Amino acid sequence: MSAGVTISSMSSYAILGCGSVGYAVAEDLVEDGKDVLILDKDESRVESLRDQDLNAQQTDIADPDVVDAVADRDVVLILASDVEANKAAVSAIRERGGDQFVVVRASDPVSEDELSELGADVVINPSEVIADSALRSLESGELEYKARQLAEVLESADEGLAVLTHDNPDPDSIASAVALQAIAREHGIDAVINYDGEIGQQENRAFVNLLGIELVPLSEGKPLSEYGAVALVDHMKSGDPELDVDVDIFIDHYEPEEAIEAAFTDVRPNVSSTSTILTKYLQEFDISPSEAVATALLYGIRSETLDFKRETTPADLTAAAYLYPFANHDTLEQVESPSMSPETLDVLAEAIQNREVQGSHLVSNAGFIRDRDALGQAAQHLLKLEGITTTAVFGIADDRIYLSARSKDIRMNIGKILEDAFAGIGETGGHSTQGDVEIPLGIFTGIETSDDNRDTLLQLTEEAVRRKLFEAMGVESAESGNGS
């Protein structure tokens, strides 16, 4: 096939072997106004095709002379059920220098490989095509069924819907809540987004502020029991929920350790973000997302997949492609590139100076800090260092030790490592790629903080935290201070 020619621009086709598959293809091509020549060795079939005003000729496609019959055709579709005949046709075309675009039918993985090696451009296995089609139909039907279930639960929530993110919510959790809120409003139900903890990191605060997302702290809103329904979205990052109300809707891409009883549940560990799941529901309900909702969801997917560089699935990509035209990309750029505060810069500089590296693991002490959110940003920045797959940065503020960790090592669950290292002595939370710890300072030192003992406290804390972290990671802490 000559350079620069695409299938969409081609106008002449040959179909070799016209059984049920070949006939279906021929019918569609002719209906689209294409010039189609059909070759088949069955005389009665050829006569039947001619009776339907199709251009058909009787030819054994395994005969090498078939090359002459298709010489003026741009695309050759070899679709006989006889795979040996198909192999002979492909071989004849390529051995005689035919440059047509060749699509050929296989019967199994072995014949697929053989036909590719013979020079076919595209090899189709009807069994796989049918299986893929069946799975897509099943997925579509399941989503339609789940959407009806979700609509029923929403429409019964006369007293409104409380949408609860995970503690200290990240972009995926916030975006998912925003999308569910939009779906609820389309069904005539008012929805309020609640969260516990804090919205940390400058990117997350910029995300909420620039998109005008309204989030209500649990401590400031009305009790969850006063709502008509309660929904948990992307909640498993903070562990199994401890709520004194029933959960009506549970949507997540992490499996809970213990089953959550809810009227509606959709958990999909085969996708990388809960934002992907909620995007599918927007499509199923035929809701065109507002600019704010689309931008939030696109950022949620990009954030959770590290801009499609981590554990990205085809579903995440198709969801992002759907959202792309609706999103405000100037706002996305502002969210993803917020200015770094002087405090964050100081913490990052301190963390770089005090880093200790063992293998691909980095642990660092940022000293006494004022903004504990800066620890997470420092941990994320240090993850960009060459050869580093896991980082943990800790500091002291208000008589407490705060630690933030990040990991891109698919073999490691950093949230579980922090829990193993500090369970019983501090509050931990996180998941496979990030986690946080808060520990009372006295547990490690047994002494109160004062101006006179700051250096001593820092030294005692650093030694204890480093040792526990490296032990939990399965490596031994060294004496070196900067890993250089």
Side-chain angles (χ1 to χ4, degrees):
M1 185 172 62
S2 61
V5 179
T6 64
I7 291 179
S8 61
S9 68
M10 296 173 183
S11 57
S12 62
Y13 295 75
I15 296 178
L16 280 57
C18 196
S20 57
V21 175
Y23 178 74
V25 174
E27 198 173 36
D28 284 346
L29 287 173
V30 170
E31 191 174 316
D32 287 342
K34 305 297 184 182
D35 177 10
V36 180
L37 168 66
I38 301 171
L39 304 178
D40 195 285
K41 70 177 182 179
D42 188 316
E43 183 178 358
S44 62
R45 184 178 296 158
V46 169
E47 288 298 327
S48 176
L49 293 169
R50 287 174 176 170
D51 290 341
Q52 298 175 64
D53 294 327
L54 293 172
N55 180 14
Q57 298 177 12
Q58 184 183 0
T59 303
D60 185 350
I61 69 170
D63 189 326
D65 291 337
V66 75
V67 177
D68 297 325
V70 300
D72 62 341
R73 300 282 145 172
D74 298 309
V75 183
V76 179
L77 300 107
I78 307 172
L79 303 176
S81 57
D82 183 348
V83 175
E84 292 305 318
N86 292 350
K87 291 179 186 176
V90 174
S91 295
I93 292 171
R94 292 310 189 214
E95 287 173 5
R96 295 270 289 273
D99 65 350
Q100 297 99 324
F101 191 88
V102 176
V103 179
V104 63
R105 173 179 176 175
S107 60
D108 52 50
V110 174
S111 59
E112 284 184 54
D113 293 339
E114 292 172 344
L115 288 162
S116 293
E117 290 172 3
L118 289 171
D121 294 291
V122 175
V123 181
I124 299 171
N125 185 341
S127 298
E128 291 182 358
V129 172
I130 293 171
D132 289 343
S133 178
L135 288 172
R136 285 195 298 271
S137 297
L138 177 62
E139 182 181 346
S140 176
E142 183 180 13
L143 183 59
E144 182 180 346
Y145 171 71
K146 298 290 282 185
R148 287 200 304 268
Q149 280 188 315
L150 178 57
E152 289 174 4
V153 175
L154 290 173
E155 289 166 0
S156 66
D158 296 331
E159 300 302 316
L161 174 69
V163 184
L164 188 59
T165 69
H166 68 66
D167 296 349
N168 309 308
D170 65 3
D172 186 30
S173 191
I174 295 170
S176 301
V178 168
L180 184 57
Q181 182 185 55
I183 292 170
R185 288 175 175 172
E186 282 289 323
H187 287 83
I189 301 300
D190 186 39
V192 175
I193 302 173
N194 294 114
Y195 72 99
D196 205 1
E198 297 180 354
I199 300 172
Q201 297 195 30
Q202 287 167 268
E203 290 95 333
N204 295 350
R205 290 193 291 268
F207 170 59
V208 171
N209 293 336
L210 287 169
L211 292 176
I213 299 171
E214 293 185 20
L215 302 172
V216 179
L218 269 175
S219 58
E220 297 178 15
K222 70 179 184 180
L224 296 179
S225 58
E226 294 183 12
Y227 286 92
V230 174
L232 302 184
V233 290
D234 196 50
H235 200 275
M236 284 302 99
K237 290 174 187 172
S238 51
D240 289 322
E242 296 180 2
L243 303 173
D244 55 3
V245 294
D246 293 333
V247 175
D248 300 279
I249 297 170
F250 176 60
I251 304 174
D252 211 308
H253 70 112
Y254 283 107
E255 291 272 9
E257 291 185 7
E258 297 182 9
I260 293 177
E261 297 295 331
F264 175 84
T265 299
D266 192 347
V267 179
R268 304 191 204 181
N270 60 329
V271 302
S272 295
S273 73
T274 307
S275 293
T276 296
I277 303 173
L278 268 298
T279 300
K280 298 297 183 185
Y281 279 106
L282 285 174
Q283 293 176 281
E284 184 60 33
F285 284 119
D286 198 22
I287 300 172
S288 293
S290 67
E291 183 177 272
V293 171
T295 305
L297 287 169
L298 183 55
Y299 183 57
I301 296 171
R302 289 173 59 168
S303 174
E304 200 69 3
T305 62
L306 289 183
D307 212 9
F308 310 112
K309 293 193 272 299
R310 176 184 69 194
E311 299 176 359
T312 308
T313 70
D316 302 311
L317 293 173
T318 55
Y322 168 76
L323 295 165
Y324 191 88
F326 297 101
N328 185 318
H329 298 279
D330 290 335
T331 299
L332 272 177
E333 186 175 351
Q334 287 180 274
V335 170
E336 292 170 336
S337 305
S339 58
M340 184 177 288
S341 69
E343 169 67 9
T344 300
L345 196 59
D346 289 343
V347 168
L348 179 58
E350 195 75 14
I352 292 172
Q353 177 66 30
N354 297 329
R355 71 192 185 279
E356 179 181 335
V357 177
Q358 295 298 320
S360 63
H361 309 309
L362 181 153
V363 176
S364 188
N365 180 8
F368 289 88
I369 60 173
R370 294 187 300 276
D371 180 7
R372 64 190 190 189
D373 291 337
L375 295 173
Q377 291 175 276
Q380 190 65 48
H381 278 287
L382 290 172
L383 200 59
K384 299 174 184 176
L385 292 176
E386 183 178 358
I388 298 300
T389 62
T390 305
T391 61
V393 181
F394 60 93
I396 299 173
D398 302 325
D399 296 329
R400 303 186 79 78
I401 302 164
Y402 294 97
L403 181 148
S404 192
R406 300 289 185 270
S407 179
K408 57 184 178 183
D409 188 340
I410 61 174
R411 301 164 299 175
M412 175 181 291
N413 185 322
I414 192 63
K416 183 69 167 58
I417 283 175
L418 295 181
E419 186 178 346
D420 291 342
F422 301 107
I425 62 174
E427 298 178 13
T428 64
H431 54 92
S432 61
T433 60
Q434 66 183 64
D436 296 282
V437 183
E438 182 178 332
I439 310 166
L441 186 58
I443 284 181
F444 284 132
T445 64
I447 55 179
E448 295 182 2
T449 308
S450 70
D451 291 338
D452 296 331
N453 64 11
R454 283 168 63 92
D455 291 341
T456 302
L457 280 173
L458 201 56
Q459 184 177 355
L460 291 171
T461 299
E462 181 174 22
E463 182 180 340
V465 172
R466 283 184 192 270
R467 185 178 66 252
K468 277 191 165 292
L469 273 172
F470 280 126
E471 284 176 357
M473 291 176 184
V475 295
E476 293 184 4
S477 177
E479 293 300 321
S480 62
N482 62 11
S484 56

Short mmCIF file of all heavy atoms in Angstrom, two decimals, residues 13 54 144 172 174 221 243 251 263 291 335 345-346 363 379-380 384 406 455 468:
data_model
loop_
_atom_site.label_atom_id
_atom_site.label_comp_id
_atom_site.label_asym_id
_atom_site.label_seq_id
_atom_site.Cartn_x
_atom_site.Cartn_y
_atom_site.Cartn_z
N TYR A 13 -12.42 -2.61 -2.78
CA TYR A 13 -12.22 -3.69 -1.83
C TYR A 13 -12.41 -5.03 -2.53
O TYR A 13 -13.20 -5.16 -3.48
CB TYR A 13 -13.24 -3.61 -0.69
CG TYR A 13 -13.09 -2.38 0.18
CD1 TYR A 13 -13.51 -1.13 -0.26
CD2 TYR A 13 -12.52 -2.47 1.44
CE1 TYR A 13 -13.37 0.00 0.53
CE2 TYR A 13 -12.38 -1.34 2.24
CZ TYR A 13 -12.81 -0.11 1.78
OH TYR A 13 -12.67 1.00 2.57
N LEU A 54 -24.60 -8.16 -6.42
CA LEU A 54 -23.24 -8.00 -5.91
C LEU A 54 -22.25 -8.50 -6.96
O LEU A 54 -22.52 -9.46 -7.70
CB LEU A 54 -23.06 -8.79 -4.61
CG LEU A 54 -23.88 -8.29 -3.42
CD1 LEU A 54 -23.78 -9.27 -2.26
CD2 LEU A 54 -23.42 -6.91 -2.98
N GLU A 144 -26.03 -0.02 33.14
CA GLU A 144 -27.41 0.45 33.03
C GLU A 144 -28.23 -0.01 34.24
O GLU A 144 -29.02 0.76 34.81
CB GLU A 144 -28.03 -0.09 31.74
CG GLU A 144 -29.46 0.38 31.50
CD GLU A 144 -30.04 -0.17 30.22
OE1 GLU A 144 -29.27 -0.69 29.39
OE2 GLU A 144 -31.28 -0.10 30.05
N ASP A 172 -9.17 13.09 44.01
CA ASP A 172 -10.06 12.02 43.52
C ASP A 172 -11.31 11.92 44.37
O ASP A 172 -12.43 11.81 43.85
CB ASP A 172 -9.30 10.69 43.51
CG ASP A 172 -10.11 9.57 42.87
OD1 ASP A 172 -10.93 9.86 41.98
OD2 ASP A 172 -9.91 8.40 43.26
N ILE A 174 -12.63 14.29 46.35
CA ILE A 174 -13.42 15.52 46.22
C ILE A 174 -14.16 15.53 44.88
O ILE A 174 -15.35 15.83 44.81
CB ILE A 174 -12.51 16.76 46.35
CG1 ILE A 174 -11.92 16.84 47.76
CG2 ILE A 174 -13.31 18.03 46.04
CD1 ILE A 174 -10.84 17.89 47.91
N GLY A 221 -21.46 20.81 60.02
CA GLY A 221 -22.71 20.55 59.33
C GLY A 221 -23.73 19.89 60.23
O GLY A 221 -23.46 19.55 61.39
N LEU A 243 -18.88 4.97 61.45
CA LEU A 243 -20.01 5.90 61.44
C LEU A 243 -21.13 5.35 62.28
O LEU A 243 -21.32 4.13 62.38
CB LEU A 243 -20.50 6.11 60.00
CG LEU A 243 -19.46 6.63 58.99
CD1 LEU A 243 -20.05 6.62 57.59
CD2 LEU A 243 -19.01 8.03 59.36
N ILE A 251 -19.35 4.00 46.84
CA ILE A 251 -18.67 3.94 45.55
C ILE A 251 -17.17 4.15 45.78
O ILE A 251 -16.77 5.14 46.39
CB ILE A 251 -19.20 5.03 44.58
CG1 ILE A 251 -20.72 4.90 44.41
CG2 ILE A 251 -18.51 4.92 43.23
CD1 ILE A 251 -21.34 6.01 43.57
N ALA A 263 -27.43 0.09 50.44
CA ALA A 263 -28.47 -0.18 49.45
C ALA A 263 -27.88 -0.20 48.04
O ALA A 263 -28.34 -0.94 47.18
CB ALA A 263 -29.57 0.87 49.55
N GLU A 291 -18.59 22.66 33.45
CA GLU A 291 -17.14 22.88 33.34
C GLU A 291 -16.44 22.53 34.65
O GLU A 291 -15.39 21.89 34.65
CB GLU A 291 -16.87 24.33 32.97
CG GLU A 291 -15.38 24.64 32.76
CD GLU A 291 -15.18 26.09 32.34
OE1 GLU A 291 -15.23 26.35 31.12
OE2 GLU A 291 -14.99 26.95 33.22
N VAL A 335 -4.19 24.87 38.97
CA VAL A 335 -4.27 23.92 40.08
C VAL A 335 -2.98 23.11 40.19
O VAL A 335 -2.45 22.89 41.28
CB VAL A 335 -5.47 22.96 39.90
CG1 VAL A 335 -5.41 21.83 40.91
CG2 VAL A 335 -6.78 23.73 40.05
N LEU A 345 9.12 25.80 50.87
CA LEU A 345 10.48 25.83 50.34
C LEU A 345 11.50 25.54 51.44
O LEU A 345 12.46 24.79 51.23
CB LEU A 345 10.75 27.20 49.72
CG LEU A 345 11.97 27.31 48.79
CD1 LEU A 345 11.84 26.35 47.62
CD2 LEU A 345 12.10 28.75 48.28
N ASP A 346 11.28 26.10 52.63
CA ASP A 346 12.18 25.85 53.76
C ASP A 346 12.17 24.38 54.15
O ASP A 346 13.21 23.77 54.42
CB ASP A 346 11.78 26.71 54.96
CG ASP A 346 12.08 28.19 54.75
OD1 ASP A 346 12.88 28.50 53.84
OD2 ASP A 346 11.50 29.01 55.47
N VAL A 363 14.30 8.65 53.71
CA VAL A 363 13.65 9.19 54.92
C VAL A 363 14.38 10.47 55.31
O VAL A 363 15.62 10.52 55.26
CB VAL A 363 13.70 8.17 56.09
CG1 VAL A 363 13.11 8.78 57.35
CG2 VAL A 363 12.94 6.90 55.72
N ALA A 379 7.67 15.44 50.46
CA ALA A 379 7.76 14.00 50.16
C ALA A 379 7.51 13.74 48.67
O ALA A 379 8.16 12.90 48.05
CB ALA A 379 6.77 13.22 51.02
N GLN A 380 6.55 14.47 48.09
CA GLN A 380 6.23 14.30 46.67
C GLN A 380 7.38 14.78 45.79
O GLN A 380 7.73 14.13 44.80
CB GLN A 380 4.95 15.05 46.34
CG GLN A 380 4.38 14.76 44.96
CD GLN A 380 3.92 13.31 44.83
OE1 GLN A 380 3.21 12.79 45.68
NE2 GLN A 380 4.33 12.66 43.76
N LYS A 384 10.84 12.52 43.11
CA LYS A 384 11.34 12.73 41.75
C LYS A 384 12.84 12.50 41.63
O LYS A 384 13.39 12.49 40.53
CB LYS A 384 11.02 14.16 41.28
CG LYS A 384 9.52 14.47 41.24
CD LYS A 384 9.27 15.93 40.91
CE LYS A 384 7.77 16.26 40.95
NZ LYS A 384 7.51 17.71 40.72
N ARG A 406 5.25 9.05 50.63
CA ARG A 406 4.78 8.81 49.27
C ARG A 406 5.55 7.63 48.69
O ARG A 406 6.71 7.40 49.03
CB ARG A 406 5.00 10.04 48.37
CG ARG A 406 4.29 11.30 48.83
CD ARG A 406 2.79 11.20 48.65
NE ARG A 406 2.12 12.44 48.98
CZ ARG A 406 1.66 12.75 50.19
NH1 ARG A 406 1.85 11.90 51.20
NH2 ARG A 406 1.04 13.88 50.41
N ASP A 455 17.17 20.88 70.32
CA ASP A 455 18.11 20.05 69.56
C ASP A 455 18.11 18.61 70.06
O ASP A 455 18.18 17.66 69.26
CB ASP A 455 19.53 20.62 69.65
CG ASP A 455 19.66 21.94 68.91
OD1 ASP A 455 18.78 22.22 68.06
OD2 ASP A 455 20.60 22.70 69.20
N LYS A 468 12.30 3.09 63.03
CA LYS A 468 11.03 2.41 62.85
C LYS A 468 10.62 2.33 61.38
O LYS A 468 10.12 1.31 60.91
CB LYS A 468 9.93 3.12 63.67
CG LYS A 468 9.89 2.70 65.13
CD LYS A 468 8.65 3.23 65.80
CE LYS A 468 8.41 2.53 67.13
NZ LYS A 468 8.06 1.10 66.97
#
